[in-house]
Amino acid sequence: MHRTTKSCCSRWLRRAAALACAALAALAAGCAAEAEPQVLRVGVALYTQDDTFIASIAQELERLAREQEQTGGVRIDLSVVDGRSNQTTQLDQIDNLIGRGCDALCVNIVDRTAAAVLIDKAQTAQVPLIFFNRQPVAEDIFRWERTYYVGARAEEGGMLQGRLVLEAWQADPALDRNGDGVLQYVMLEGEPGHQDALLRTEYAVKTLTDAGVEVEKLASDTANWKRGQAMARTLQWLEELGDGVEVVFANNDDMALGAIDAYQQTQRPLPLVVGVDATAPALEAVAQGQLYGTVLNDSSGIARSMLDLVLALGAGEDPAETLPLEEGHYIWLPHRPVTAQNLEEFVS
């Protein structure tokens, strides 16, 4: 009888212990499940990763996403794809990103005339769409309430570039190489039909003429934002124009650096060269006295604003309540001029 009681007690204790362990395990699993961070899947479609400025935005977005994971308790799964300057390729990539269950899309569109097609795809899948750097027309942006644009106003970049040249022209008579009182310039433009290329070109020159400066365009051509193409165009102009160019306008820094490459290769004296974007290589060229100036196109601000939009949308919030949205769709970042005089602010 005594042995039976001891055996029953022993079995009861083992069962109680097993139940306690199971309960603790279940509790631990429940706590672990509660502690699992929210996961946001974000597709990032670039027109090309060869563009220095666009690559810097993607890199900054990745850095900010990792930082957010450490501090915000949200895991951000970025999928970055390269459209290789082909709109058909990019549309296929968008289909793939939507099919993989992305919660938001950040798109640097190849051809902004294709924006409506892309917006329809996102709307059908109910995936918020954030365009950046390449601005679709307003009619497309307003096509769906969850379509956004993050970037800087292209005309402002052109105006500031023109102001850089105006101040230098007024301060240094030696820039007028032939002494005729007319500013002779060449213009390296981005790709045909691109809004930033058109507006930067227009407003850079308009800023000078509005200030009463007489200008003469010696040549202009597209170089598709690329350093190598800009170098080739400039080499051709040097053969035709010699040292007659007093200012080289470039719609972006890569093309400005390409022009500088051409002058260095031919060992001709550099004219005044200005760009737009304030990329790291451009800032180095400013420090070396090769690039007179550039205009900050805030890559960090663009990345930060896109991530803030993604986080707000992922939390089910109205972005207009916490972010500086204009007209419910636009976040505008300011441009800033950069020369050797204020370079330290941007290098740091």
Side-chain angles (χ1 to χ4, degrees):
M1 187 73 179
H2 177 70
R3 285 194 300 273
T4 303
T5 303
K6 183 176 181 179
S7 176
C8 288
C9 288
S10 191
R11 284 196 301 273
W12 182 86
L13 287 171
R14 286 196 298 272
R15 182 181 296 176
L19 289 171
C21 287
L24 287 171
L27 180 61
C31 290
E34 290 176 5
E36 278 293 316
Q38 178 189 6
V39 179
L40 288 175
R41 295 173 297 278
V42 182
V44 183
L46 310 180
Y47 95 96
T48 178
Q49 287 183 315
D50 291 338
D51 186 302
T52 304
F53 179 69
I54 298 303
S56 71
I57 294 176
Q59 290 163 6
E60 181 67 3
L61 186 58
E62 289 174 346
R63 187 191 71 79
L64 290 170
R66 301 293 79 79
E67 185 180 274
Q68 182 67 34
E69 288 182 354
Q70 297 296 320
T71 61
V74 177
R75 204 181 91 199
I76 300 169
D77 182 7
L78 291 180
S79 297
V80 180
V81 294
D82 181 357
R84 300 186 295 280
S85 298
N86 185 302
Q87 189 58 66
T88 301
T89 297
Q90 188 176 71
L91 288 172
D92 289 341
Q93 291 170 339
I94 295 297
D95 286 336
N96 184 262
L97 291 169
I98 291 173
R100 287 161 59 181
C102 281
D103 300 297
L105 296 170
C106 299
V107 179
N108 173 231
I109 195 166
V110 174
D111 178 2
R112 70 192 190 112
T113 64
V117 176
L118 206 158
I119 292 165
D120 288 347
K121 288 177 180 289
Q123 183 176 9
T124 299
Q126 288 297 295
V127 180
L129 178 58
I130 304 166
F131 290 102
F132 66 98
N133 188 249
R134 293 180 162 221
Q135 181 186 348
V137 296
E139 181 182 354
D140 287 336
I141 290 291
F142 286 94
R143 194 180 183 91
W144 182 39
E145 69 270 11
R146 294 213 290 173
T147 302
Y148 306 92
Y149 178 74
V150 177
R153 299 181 190 273
E155 60 271 27
E156 182 185 59
M159 289 171 61
L160 290 177
Q161 192 184 55
R163 208 170 293 165
L164 286 174
V165 174
L166 175 63
E167 292 169 358
W169 181 256
Q170 292 175 335
D172 186 3
L175 290 178
D176 186 6
R177 290 181 169 184
N178 59 10
D180 66 351
V182 179
L183 187 154
Q184 277 87 20
Y185 74 93
V186 294
M187 179 72 72
L188 287 162
E189 302 176 31
E191 66 198 77
H194 191 295
Q195 179 163 329
D196 282 11
L198 296 171
L199 292 176
R200 288 175 187 175
T201 297
E202 176 187 354
Y203 280 87
V205 177
K206 186 175 185 296
T207 300
L208 290 166
T209 56
D210 284 353
V213 177
E214 188 177 349
V215 302
E216 179 185 1
K217 180 173 70 175
L218 300 180
S220 67
D221 203 349
T222 57
N224 296 299
W225 312 110
K226 297 184 183 299
R227 184 169 182 165
Q229 289 187 28
M231 180 180 177
R233 302 284 186 276
T234 307
L235 285 171
Q236 180 182 343
W237 292 338
L238 282 169
E239 288 184 10
E240 300 168 356
L241 304 170
D243 294 330
V245 177
E246 295 166 339
V247 175
V248 176
F249 286 99
N251 285 168
N252 78 337
D253 285 339
D254 277 0
M255 294 190 296
L257 295 174
I260 292 169
D261 292 340
Y263 275 90
Q264 290 180 329
Q265 179 173 306
T266 56
Q267 298 184 333
R268 290 182 179 273
L270 265 175
L272 192 82
V273 183
V274 287
V276 177
D277 283 339
T279 61
L283 296 180
E284 184 178 344
V286 172
Q288 293 173 354
Q290 299 164 345
L291 182 66
Y292 174 75
T294 182
V295 178
L296 174 71
N297 195 3
D298 191 357
S299 58
S300 295
I302 290 172
R304 177 76 264 174
S305 296
M306 285 198 294
L307 185 60
D308 288 344
L309 261 175
V310 167
L311 291 170
L313 293 164
E317 300 171 357
D318 179 1
E321 295 180 359
T322 55
L323 297 173
L325 277 179
E326 294 189 22
E327 301 179 86
H329 293 270
Y330 295 93
I331 295 181
W332 297 111
L333 283 300
H335 285 101
R336 291 178 63 193
V338 185
T339 63
Q341 281 65 47
N342 65 347
L343 181 63
E344 289 186 4
E345 300 176 32
F346 303 92
V347 172
S348 61

